Amino acid sequence: MSEKPVLYYFNARGKMETIRWLLTVAEVDFDEVFLTSRDQYLKLLENGDLLFQQVPMVEIDGMKLVQTRAILNYIAEKYNLHGKDLKDRAMIDMYSEGVKDLNEMIIMLIMSPDPKAKLEEIEKKAKERYLPVFEKALTGPVFLVGGKLSCADVYLLECTLMLEEKFAGILADFPNLKSFQGRMLQNDAIKEFVKPGSQRKPQPDDVYVKTVLEIFNMKT
Amino acid sequence: MSEKPVLYYFNARGRMETIRWLLTVAEVDFDEVFLTSRDQYLKLLENGDLLFQQVPMVEIDGMKLVQTRAILNYIAEKYNLHGKDLKDRAMIDMYSEGLMDLTQMIRLLSWLSDPKDQLEEIEKKAKERYLPVFEKALTGAVYLVGGKFSCADVYLLECTLMLEESFVGILKDFGNLKSFQGRMLQIPAVNRFLLPGSKRKLPFDQKSLALAKQVFNMKS
């Protein structure tokens, strides 16, 4: 029986991608089961596999974990990426939650009725609210918190890469962030993950939206 | 110098209310600074007190914590309300995140001019997706996780009380939840919190919403 975690989600980024990133940086191999039909989803429901009827779901260490943050917290704690004490933990959580708010905006873009306006809002918030905070936090330090790699560094890396996909050169005025990105990309596991053919998923498209709506029986 | 935590927020429930609940159950006295004008908010920003320009913010143990989950996690860990080990922690996080999803739906009602559709949606989700999970978890158990009181129990109590405010008798078919509520209400700190004159707040209303929009310079 495989001891690798198994990820249940669409063959797409969505809310699962951050989990894929974290497992990758923790150097934990994982398998994936992609949701492709409503019947398959209904079967998972019948089996009682999805606590709140939702995905992401990750089978790990005998548990069927749902809720993105519960899954991320478990992985971060287990693999020592959640800070050395309560105060570092608080800083990590603050930074992580800020990054997640920004990530969420990007993730939801594909579902937006007015993507152009949303894009402008994301760029504004990124440049005025979020990036300056991390630029400042990385003045001098190599990692965001406590001189040690943490999940916050992973979430920030993921976020900066996603931002650059939408806004090439957005890091032009944020040299610490650019250097941080450069350092993180030298990590072997991360290097492999950003190459074609890895388990990293591409940007979402209309096929993805269609699949989601169909599987959850939602109106367009 | 007061060592009590200081909560910065509007004089309303919003995202700060869960924090008020958790501090109350942990028997930690706290002070509050209410946002009452845009100038006051701008001063907080100038001082660098709000990491992502947002509230809630809680001054605690020499830190200015922002991001609701970061604040809640810190309090829960510090006061031993976050489970005895990693696996209990994962269960607590799963339940907590589910509850936060539902609670957030209820909170957003205050912002809607025509809440009728959303009220129906919330009642449906509560009865079909969320309450059955907690009803099951409390079959034969006094607390949600590990036979030990945790933050998840606090969030569940808060949520059931909020649900009953909108849907009287919603717990009719959930006997275990009703008993759970009864047990929790016997805790002296909880009991006091529910009496008039406590720090428990009312939901955002027309007046406090208008104030919030003014403080954040939002278009109505």
Side-chain angles (χ1 to χ4, degrees):
Chain A
M1 181 171 156
S2 168
E3 289 211 25
K4 287 191 215 171
V6 184
L7 278 48
Y8 290 73
Y9 199 67
F10 304 95
N11 187 358
R13 286 185 186 175
K15 288 179 183 280
M16 187 61 99
E17 192 73 352
T18 310
I19 295 168
R20 295 181 184 108
W21 270 102
L22 193 58
L23 285 168
T24 296
V25 173
E27 302 198 28
V28 177
D29 283 334
F30 57 89
D31 289 328
E32 304 196 74
V33 171
F34 298 126
L35 291 203
T36 50
S37 77
R38 182 157 171 80
D39 280 347
Q40 179 198 19
Y41 168 65
L42 292 174
K43 209 159 270 153
L44 286 171
L45 286 185
E46 267 177 52
N47 283 348
D49 289 347
L50 307 177
L51 188 68
F52 298 113
Q53 305 161 351
Q54 297 164 317
V55 285
M57 188 270 275
V58 174
E59 277 180 346
I60 183 170
D61 298 338
M63 299 178 288
K64 290 179 167 45
L65 290 185
V66 296
Q67 290 291 341
T68 314
R69 286 175 172 86
I71 298 165
L72 289 170
N73 286 345
Y74 183 78
I75 297 165
E77 292 256 12
K78 183 176 179 189
Y79 295 100
N80 225 351
L81 292 167
H82 220 159
K84 66 184 192 303
D85 57 32
L86 196 50
K87 286 206 166 180
D88 273 6
R89 173 69 189 266
M91 286 307 303
I92 287 169
D93 280 352
M94 275 205 289
Y95 288 144
S96 298
E97 286 296 309
V99 173
K100 280 174 199 168
D101 280 351
L102 186 51
N103 268 8
E104 175 92 9
M105 285 187 234
I106 302 171
I107 291 169
M108 291 309 290
L109 198 53
I110 191 86
M111 303 280 185
S112 171
D114 185 2
K116 189 170 167 293
K118 217 55 183 107
L119 266 169
E120 280 174 24
E121 195 195 327
I122 292 171
E123 188 174 14
K124 188 173 192 285
K125 286 240 159 83
K127 286 177 157 177
E128 294 177 12
R129 174 173 290 187
Y130 294 105
L131 297 179
V133 170
F134 300 108
E135 181 70 7
K136 182 175 173 189
L138 290 166
T139 307
V142 173
F143 301 111
L144 278 172
V145 180
K148 189 175 177 287
L149 178 71
S150 76
C151 53
D153 299 298
V154 180
Y155 307 152
L156 180 59
L157 174 67
E158 177 192 16
C159 190
T160 58
L161 291 173
M162 286 198 330
L163 282 170
E164 284 182 318
E165 281 173 343
K166 299 288 181 211
F167 316 103
I170 192 175
L171 296 190
D173 298 322
F174 301 97
N176 292 340
L177 277 168
K178 204 59 194 156
S179 304
F180 164 82
Q181 213 186 44
R183 288 193 300 275
M184 293 290 281
L185 289 170
Q186 293 192 23
N187 172 299
D188 288 331
I190 292 176
K191 232 190 277 187
E192 286 309 305
F193 193 61
V194 298
K195 280 193 202 151
S198 78
Q199 278 162 309
R200 189 186 189 202
K201 301 295 174 280
Q203 291 192 63
D205 58 15
D206 289 329
V207 173
Y208 164 61
V209 176
K210 200 159 158 287
T211 311
V212 174
L213 293 175
E214 191 186 86
I215 286 178
F216 293 135
N217 215 19
M218 285 158 65
K219 303 180 227 330
T220 23
Chain B
M1 180 170 155
S2 168
E3 289 210 28
K4 289 189 214 172
V6 184
L7 279 48
Y8 290 72
Y9 199 67
F10 300 95
N11 188 357
R13 283 185 190 174
R15 289 178 182 277
M16 187 61 99
E17 192 72 354
T18 310
I19 295 167
R20 296 181 184 110
W21 268 104
L22 193 58
L23 285 169
T24 296
V25 172
E27 301 198 25
V28 178
D29 282 335
F30 56 89
D31 288 329
E32 302 195 78
V33 170
F34 298 126
L35 292 202
T36 52
S37 76
R38 181 157 171 80
D39 280 346
Q40 179 197 20
Y41 168 66
L42 291 173
K43 210 159 267 151
L44 286 170
L45 285 186
E46 267 177 54
N47 283 347
D49 289 347
L50 306 179
L51 188 67
F52 297 114
Q53 306 162 351
Q54 297 164 319
V55 285
M57 187 272 274
V58 175
E59 276 181 347
I60 183 169
D61 297 337
M63 300 177 289
K64 289 178 169 39
L65 289 186
V66 297
Q67 291 290 344
T68 312
R69 283 173 175 87
I71 298 164
L72 289 170
N73 285 346
Y74 183 78
I75 297 165
E77 293 256 13
K78 184 176 179 188
Y79 295 101
N80 225 350
L81 292 167
H82 220 157
K84 67 183 192 301
D85 59 29
L86 198 49
K87 285 203 167 183
D88 273 7
R89 175 68 189 266
M91 286 308 301
I92 288 169
D93 281 353
M94 275 205 288
Y95 288 144
S96 299
E97 288 294 312
L99 286 164
M100 284 182 206
D101 282 350
L102 183 53
T103 306
Q104 182 59 8
M105 278 189 242
I106 302 170
R107 282 205 208 100
L108 285 175
L109 281 172
S110 303
W111 294 80
L112 296 173
S113 45
D114 184 8
K116 189 169 165 292
D117 285 343
Q118 186 60 359
L119 269 168
E120 280 175 26
E121 172 77 7
I122 291 172
E123 189 174 13
K124 188 172 191 286
K125 285 240 158 82
K127 286 177 159 175
E128 294 178 11
R129 176 173 288 188
Y130 294 104
L131 296 179
V133 170
F134 300 107
E135 181 70 8
K136 182 175 172 188
L138 290 165
T139 306
V142 174
Y143 301 110
L144 278 172
V145 179
K148 189 174 175 291
F149 190 50
S150 76
C151 53
D153 297 299
V154 180
Y155 307 153
L156 179 58
L157 174 66
E158 179 191 17
C159 189
T160 57
L161 290 172
M162 276 170 65
L163 280 169
E164 284 180 319
E165 281 174 345
S166 291
F167 314 103
V168 177
I170 192 174
L171 295 190
K172 185 165 45 73
D173 298 321
F174 300 98
N176 294 340
L177 279 168
K178 206 57 196 159
S179 305
F180 166 83
Q181 213 187 42
R183 288 194 297 276
M184 295 288 285
L185 291 172
Q186 294 192 23
I187 296 172
V190 172
N191 207 287
R192 280 195 299 277
F193 193 61
L194 293 172
L195 292 173
S198 78
K199 288 187 180 142
R200 191 182 189 207
K201 301 291 177 284
L202 295 170
F204 272 98
D205 58 13
Q206 293 263 35
K207 194 155 165 268
S208 42
L209 269 179
L211 175 61
K213 286 178 184 170
Q214 187 191 62
V215 166
F216 295 130
N217 214 20
M218 286 161 65
K219 303 182 227 337
S220 307

